[in-house]
């Protein structure tokens, strides 16, 4: 059917004139005028006027499953103090100018619980971008924690890769967090780097130092902080005692005939564990083993009683207990235990320091720190960037950052 031209023309005349559905936004009376000053990002000086400007875009927090970007104008100023041209400083913008500060905090908070690859996949970012934002987050954590001034420190080493490649970790035992990771090994020169970074004034405040019996650590401490008392790590001493007990177990296994070896085989960790930590089957196996071998029975009882050494409140009481414990070794033919007592005599000053009430600090942090570092390395399958690993270790024990109106005005 052919439409009537008059009707079509009439319909066209009745259509309203085309107009914009939404007009331009009118500036209300409450809107402030454009800014006339900008802060130099180099020195913080407030500059009047601008050198030039450009339109930038930064990614903000997502909402409703959509990625949100903030578009803004950013000035460049000719700073009279720096005598050069620099971009202006915006507090709500992260150090990476393609992201806002709160988005960098969001990514950094995710990296505390997730791997960088998982965060990159969830936020649709590149792995290197996630690493940069996580670094910004951790640097703010360390800056808010402040510079350390420890009273009691714990010193230990960690292996960052295979081949005896060690780094020294120094922790604050009162605040229960690591404060320095560095060096290229575990030599005296590597330990000197920590005291150089801490400074002579704060080094003079150190009163206690918990460490293992590694001579380079003690030599560096005596040279830089002679006023500090050395406390040898309890867990390292107990480990040496466990090694001595295991040497006795192996010697007894070799000495006995094949028929009598059945009680000893596979019972290493049963002997090294405390009795209260064993299961019902473990306690039965332990009772059967100690009943079958008198020498292992004596060695096990001596190992269990040695832990009372750290319960004494005076050095004289601890020394009297150790003398009685050493006398119990007579006529027992426990050669590895005799070597262990000789080692304790050589390092008695560092062991007796723990008996004083003012030196009763928690020593479990030093070993627990190593376990957490291994978890960080295993979760990321290792770190190629060593500086990033050091920052990760220090920030892992700090509280997460919180939203602040002053730092995040958006």
């Amino acid at each position: 059917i052919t439409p009537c031209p008059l009707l079509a023309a009439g319909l066209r005349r009745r259509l309203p004139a085309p107009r914009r559905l939404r007009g331009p936004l009118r500036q209300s009376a409450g809107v402030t005028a454009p800014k006339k000053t900008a802060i130099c990002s180099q020195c913080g000086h407030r500059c009047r006027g601008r050198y030039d400007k450009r339109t930038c875009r930064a990614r903000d927090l997502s909402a409703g499953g959509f990625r949100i970007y903030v578009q803004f104008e950013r000035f460049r100023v000719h700073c009279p103090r720096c005598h050069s041209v620099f971009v202006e400083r915006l507090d709500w913008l992260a150090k990476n100018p393609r992201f806002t500060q709160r988005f960098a905090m969001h990514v950094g908070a995710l990296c505390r619980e997730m791997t960088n690859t998982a965060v990159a996949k969830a936020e649709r970012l590149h792995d290197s971008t996630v690493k940069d934002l996580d670094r910004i987050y951790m640097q703010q954590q360390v800056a808010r924690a402040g510079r350390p001034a420890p009273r009691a420190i714990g010193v230990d080493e960690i292996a960052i890769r295979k081949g005896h490649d060690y780094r020294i970790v120094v922790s604050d035992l009162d605040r229960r967090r690591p404060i320095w990771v560095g060096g290229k090994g575990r030599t005296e020169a590597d330990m000197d780097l920590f005291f150089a970074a801490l400074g002579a004034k704060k080094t003079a405040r150190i009163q206690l130092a918990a460490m293992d019996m590694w001579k380079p650590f003690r030599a560096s401490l005596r040279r830089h902080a002679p006023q500090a008392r050395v406390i040898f790590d309890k867990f390292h001493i107990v480990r040496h005692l466990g090694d001595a007990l295991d040497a006795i177990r192996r010697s007894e296994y070799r000495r006995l005939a094949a028929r009598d070896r059945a009680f000893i085989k596979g019972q290493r960790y049963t002997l090294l564990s405390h009795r209260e930590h064993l299961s019902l089957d473990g306690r039965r196996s332990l009772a059967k083993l100690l009943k079958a071998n008198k020498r292992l029975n004596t060695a096990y009882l001596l190992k269990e009683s040695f832990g009372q050494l750290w319960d004494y409140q005076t050095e004289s009481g601890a020394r009297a207990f150790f003398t009685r414990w050493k006398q119990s070794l007579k006529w027992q033919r426990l050669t590895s235990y005799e070597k262990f007592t000789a080692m304790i005599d050589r390092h008695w000053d560092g062991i007796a320091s723990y008996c004083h009430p003012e030196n009763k600090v928690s020593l479990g942090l030093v070993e627990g720190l190593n376990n957490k570092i291994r978890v960080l390395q295993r979760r990321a399958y290792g770190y190629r960037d060593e500086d990033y690993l050091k920052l990760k270790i220090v920030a892992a024990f700090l509280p997460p950052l919180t939203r602040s109106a002053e730092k995040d005005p958006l």
Side-chain angles (χ1 to χ4, degrees):
I1 302 174
T2 305
C4 180
L6 295 177
L7 181 59
L11 288 175
R12 284 197 297 268
R13 284 194 299 270
R14 292 191 184 96
L15 289 176
R19 63 183 181 86
R20 298 181 62 180
L21 296 179
R22 183 176 180 180
L25 295 176
R26 297 180 180 178
Q27 184 174 1
S28 60
V31 177
T32 58
K35 61 181 182 179
K36 298 181 180 180
T37 62
I39 299 176
C40 174
S41 60
Q42 189 72 12
C43 65
H45 178 69
R46 184 174 292 276
C47 307
R48 284 190 170 273
R50 63 176 184 266
Y51 182 80
D52 61 4
K53 67 176 182 179
R54 59 177 297 185
T55 302
C56 303
R57 193 174 70 162
R59 182 174 174 181
D60 199 12
L61 294 175
S62 302
F66 293 93
R67 283 177 286 176
I68 297 179
Y69 293 84
V70 179
Q71 187 169 322
F72 59 97
E73 290 183 346
R74 195 172 191 185
F75 293 170
R76 284 201 306 166
V77 296
H78 190 281
C79 181
R81 183 180 297 178
C82 301
H83 303 288
S84 185
V85 177
F86 292 101
V87 70
E88 69 169 327
R89 187 183 71 192
L90 299 175
D91 293 335
W92 54 268
L93 203 62
K95 289 184 178 179
N96 188 334
R98 294 177 296 152
F99 305 95
T100 63
Q101 180 73 11
R102 60 184 180 184
F103 183 78
M105 291 180 58
H106 169 69
V107 173
L110 291 179
C111 290
R112 288 177 61 91
E113 306 296 336
M114 303 166 58
T115 63
N116 289 12
T117 304
V119 175
K121 185 177 180 181
E123 296 294 336
R124 295 187 178 183
L125 297 171
H126 194 269
D127 291 347
S128 61
T129 304
V130 174
K131 179 182 174 182
D132 293 340
L133 296 180
D134 186 29
R135 192 192 299 271
I136 294 172
Y137 181 89
M138 293 187 295
Q139 287 172 350
Q140 289 190 8
Q141 280 185 292
V142 175
R144 292 190 184 184
R147 296 187 62 84
R151 180 193 68 91
I153 62 173
V155 184
D156 203 359
E157 71 277 355
I158 59 167
I160 61 172
R161 61 179 63 90
K162 293 182 179 180
H164 298 282
D165 194 359
Y166 295 101
R167 298 295 180 268
I168 299 176
V169 180
V170 182
S171 54
D172 188 339
L173 297 181
D174 293 330
R175 293 175 176 82
R176 302 185 62 81
R177 66 180 182 91
I179 57 177
W180 186 81
V181 183
K184 295 297 182 181
R186 49 176 182 169
T187 63
E188 185 176 345
D190 295 319
M191 188 65 193
D192 293 341
L193 296 176
F194 163 71
F195 294 108
L198 188 63
K201 185 177 180 180
K202 293 184 178 180
T203 300
R205 298 182 56 183
I206 299 177
Q207 301 178 10
L208 297 175
M211 62 183 66
D212 55 14
M213 292 172 282
W214 187 245
K215 290 183 180 180
F217 292 167
R218 285 182 288 156
S220 178
L221 181 70
R222 281 197 300 265
R223 188 152 42 85
H224 293 90
Q227 78 285 351
R229 302 193 64 175
V230 177
I231 300 177
F232 290 130
D233 191 3
K234 168 185 174 181
F235 299 96
H236 284 86
I237 297 174
V238 173
R239 188 186 65 185
H240 284 290
L241 180 58
D243 293 340
L245 176 59
D246 190 53
I248 297 174
R249 182 191 65 86
R250 291 197 302 268
S251 65
E252 288 297 297
Y253 183 82
R254 292 190 299 266
R255 186 179 64 86
L256 296 176
R259 179 172 54 85
D260 298 328
R261 290 179 177 179
F263 297 101
I264 302 178
K265 186 176 182 180
Q267 301 299 326
R268 176 186 180 185
Y269 293 103
T270 303
L271 285 172
L272 297 180
S273 302
H274 290 291
R275 190 176 184 278
E276 59 269 16
H277 297 161
L278 294 174
S279 61
L280 181 59
D281 294 337
R283 294 181 182 182
R284 289 174 180 174
S285 301
L286 178 63
K288 187 184 298 184
L289 171 63
L290 299 182
K291 186 177 180 181
N293 193 291
K294 182 180 178 181
R295 186 174 295 178
L296 280 177
N297 186 18
T298 304
Y300 179 81
L301 294 177
L302 288 172
K303 189 264 295 185
E304 289 292 302
S305 62
F306 188 80
Q308 302 175 18
L309 178 65
W310 284 274
D311 296 334
Y312 286 90
Q313 301 294 323
T314 60
E315 184 176 348
S316 59
R319 186 67 194 186
F321 167 79
F322 179 68
T323 302
R324 293 192 303 268
W325 191 89
K326 187 167 57 174
Q327 291 175 352
S328 303
L329 299 178
K330 287 185 177 181
W331 316 110
Q332 299 298 333
R333 294 180 297 174
L334 301 176
T335 307
S336 59
Y337 271 28
E338 294 174 358
K339 295 180 180 179
F340 173 75
T341 56
M343 182 193 69
I344 296 298
D345 284 329
R346 292 194 304 268
H347 302 86
W348 177 254
D349 293 339
I351 298 173
S353 299
Y354 189 75
C355 299
H356 298 275
E358 63 273 12
N359 297 344
K360 296 288 185 179
V361 294
S362 177
L363 302 177
L365 174 68
V366 180
E367 290 301 313
L369 176 64
N370 285 348
N371 294 332
K372 190 159 188 177
I373 293 174
R374 294 189 192 100
V375 171
L376 290 175
Q377 292 176 313
R378 187 167 59 250
R379 189 175 69 179
Y381 294 94
Y383 289 91
R384 289 176 291 183
D385 189 346
E386 187 174 330
D387 293 334
Y388 182 62
L389 172 62
K390 294 176 181 178
L391 185 60
K392 200 81 171 175
I393 293 172
V394 174
F397 287 79
L398 295 175
L401 296 177
T402 56
R403 293 281 298 275
S404 172
E406 296 179 357
K407 297 292 183 181
D408 183 15
L410 280 183

